[in-house]
Amino acid sequence: MGNSYGTLFKISTFGESHGKALGVIIDGCPAGLDINEDFIQQELNRRKPGQSKITTQRKEDDTFEILSGVFEGKATGTPICIVIHNKDAKSKDYSHIADKYRPSHADYTYDVKYGVRDYRGGGRSSARETAARVAAGAVAKMMLEKQGINISAYVSQVGDIKCPDYPSLDLSQTESNIVRCPHAETADQMISLIDEIRKSQDTIGGIVTCVIKNTPAGLGEPVFDRLHAELGKAMLSINAVKGFEYGSGFEGVKMRGSEHNDAFYKEGDKTKTRTNYSGGIQGGISNGEDIYFNVAFKPVATIMQDQESINAQGEAVTVSGKGRHDPCVVPRAVPIVEAMAALVIADFYLINQTAKLRD
């Protein structure tokens, strides 16, 4: 029913925005992996609401509980169940839209599909579901760290404000400001814009860029399960995502093949490419270079303004914005993008162990 992702490293998430709890079951985590609970909490803290003036003011500490699959700090090889209890749900904020469809939300589509709708914060369609993904992604990151694989995402654009391309950035500075842009001058401009948008009771979109370093060559399964196709699916499954591009992306259409081709060369015992327009993926399989991609997020659909819509009876109504919402989702989306990338790479890493006989 679309609540699970992965083949060998597989997750299933559950819960709603205003239900008792959210959670995830991780199946396929290799036994013996050290599970650092402080790291899981650290990742959840990066995503949680109420972080700053430019995020929703809902107050959730997003503390978690591991119910199974971990013993004495190590994964046992059995399913790991992580639960995150909701503590600051204010369902009354949504009683006014119990039978109304908010523009650009999932209200209408969920109602027409299921015939029953949890209108409290959007229920299962809420971006709060991504807390479970971040918890699972933290476990995947622990596994990848043992292989030297590093995943870093950051805010590269808000509205029409863009920061320089990633090769010129120090990605260790991403957490140095509330918008999570590693370029200080651009970050200040982004923060000012988001705050201005918030005060005008509106919202704005942006782009999160992700860079995966030290991925071994050979990850990805042709023909239909190409690495970039799975990354695209994973990113497009995140709430509010409207676009995905990797490598040269749409800009590549402006180039000649003679410019765009990534020439191979040998550096010691490593095969490398002189350029990386391929984004670290060729033929759907990683080639060992940096994998990089952009994820576009739309403006948050809930705005603190009156909007025209209809109700469940098809009557014209006015929908009034209430509740606590992000004026721009991208600062809190950074750990979500990283988590989904980690889940994809972790799954392909395990799958690749079955690709050929090994000495």
Side-chain angles (χ1 to χ4, degrees):
M1 301 300 291
N3 297 302
S4 300
Y5 180 78
T7 302
L8 295 186
F9 195 100
K10 186 173 183 177
I11 69 165
S12 297
T13 69
F14 58 88
E16 297 83 30
S17 176
H18 285 233
K20 289 185 178 181
L22 303 123
V24 61
I25 296 172
I26 307 167
D27 202 3
C29 179
L33 179 69
D34 291 323
I35 302 298
N36 183 340
E37 294 192 25
D38 289 340
F39 179 69
I40 297 174
Q41 190 61 61
Q42 174 186 312
E43 293 295 277
L44 286 170
N45 289 346
R46 296 172 67 211
R47 194 222 68 94
K48 73 179 181 181
Q51 296 180 36
S52 70
K53 66 180 181 179
I54 60 171
T55 64
T56 171
Q57 294 308 295
R58 178 170 174 171
K59 297 296 183 183
E60 295 282 358
D61 55 23
D62 280 356
T63 53
F64 68 95
E65 182 180 7
I66 296 178
L67 301 185
S68 64
V70 178
F71 181 67
E72 295 183 342
K74 292 185 181 294
T76 63
T78 59
I80 298 173
C81 181
I82 300 175
V83 173
I84 304 162
H85 291 279
N86 290 322
K87 297 181 179 179
D88 190 32
K90 294 183 179 179
S91 300
K92 68 179 185 298
D93 286 347
Y94 297 91
S95 58
H96 69 294
I97 53 104
D99 69 338
K100 298 177 181 177
Y101 300 139
R102 294 169 295 173
S104 288
H105 272 275
D107 298 341
Y108 168 71
T109 51
Y110 267 58
D111 206 5
V112 74
K113 179 175 179 64
Y114 296 109
V116 59
R117 168 182 155 225
D118 183 351
Y119 60 83
R120 303 166 304 165
R124 182 74 175 150
S125 70
S126 169
R128 180 142 180 76
E129 178 269 340
T130 59
R133 305 189 195 198
V134 170
V139 176
K141 278 187 173 183
M142 294 174 205
M143 190 185 97
L144 297 176
E145 183 182 22
K146 294 178 72 66
Q147 310 305 320
I149 301 171
N150 176 265
I151 300 174
S152 300
Y154 63 94
V155 174
S156 58
Q157 184 171 342
V158 172
D160 59 0
I161 300 173
K162 299 180 181 180
C163 76
D165 291 339
Y166 90 87
S168 66
L169 300 173
D170 178 1
L171 300 188
S172 69
Q173 296 302 305
T174 297
E175 297 293 324
S176 66
N177 55 73
I178 59 177
V179 78
R180 293 198 167 94
C181 172
H183 190 258
E185 181 180 345
T186 307
D188 289 341
Q189 296 175 34
M190 290 175 171
I191 293 167
S192 295
L193 176 61
I194 295 172
D195 203 31
E196 177 187 329
I197 293 292
R198 178 184 63 83
K199 290 175 181 177
S200 69
Q201 299 185 317
D202 215 332
T203 61
I204 195 163
I207 293 176
V208 172
T209 296
C210 186
V211 183
I212 308 174
K213 290 183 173 291
N214 304 320
T215 304
L219 302 191
E221 298 294 314
V223 169
F224 296 109
D225 297 334
R226 296 169 186 260
L227 179 52
H228 59 275
E230 285 301 312
L231 284 169
K233 177 181 178 180
M235 298 307 142
L236 289 165
S237 75
I238 299 171
N239 307 63
V241 170
K242 288 295 183 182
F244 169 84
E245 65 173 354
Y246 78 101
S248 61
F250 290 102
E251 289 299 308
V253 304
K254 303 174 184 177
M255 303 173 70
R256 305 285 180 92
S258 54
E259 300 172 284
H260 193 272
N261 287 345
D262 297 319
F264 289 106
Y265 72 100
K266 203 76 173 176
E267 186 175 277
D269 60 350
K270 287 188 176 182
T271 299
K272 305 189 73 173
T273 60
R274 298 196 182 280
T275 53
N276 190 20
Y277 295 116
S278 299
I281 304 171
Q282 294 170 327
I285 300 171
S286 62
N287 66 5
E289 297 291 335
D290 289 355
I291 296 170
Y292 63 97
F293 55 86
N294 296 322
V295 186
F297 288 80
K298 71 175 183 178
V300 175
T302 298
I303 59 176
M304 298 297 110
Q305 301 177 21
D306 290 346
Q307 300 177 83
E308 294 181 0
S309 189
I310 62 171
N311 60 19
Q313 292 73 46
E315 302 164 332
V317 296
T318 297
V319 176
S320 302
K322 294 182 180 180
R324 300 158 294 175
H325 305 277
D326 292 273
C328 181
V329 75
V330 289
R332 292 176 59 217
V334 166
I336 304 169
V337 168
E338 289 181 2
M340 292 307 298
L343 291 168
V344 172
I345 300 299
D347 196 29
F348 274 126
Y349 179 83
L350 293 178
I351 291 171
N352 203 47
Q353 305 309 301
T354 69
K356 60 186 177 183
L357 293 174
R358 300 174 190 277
D359 295 334

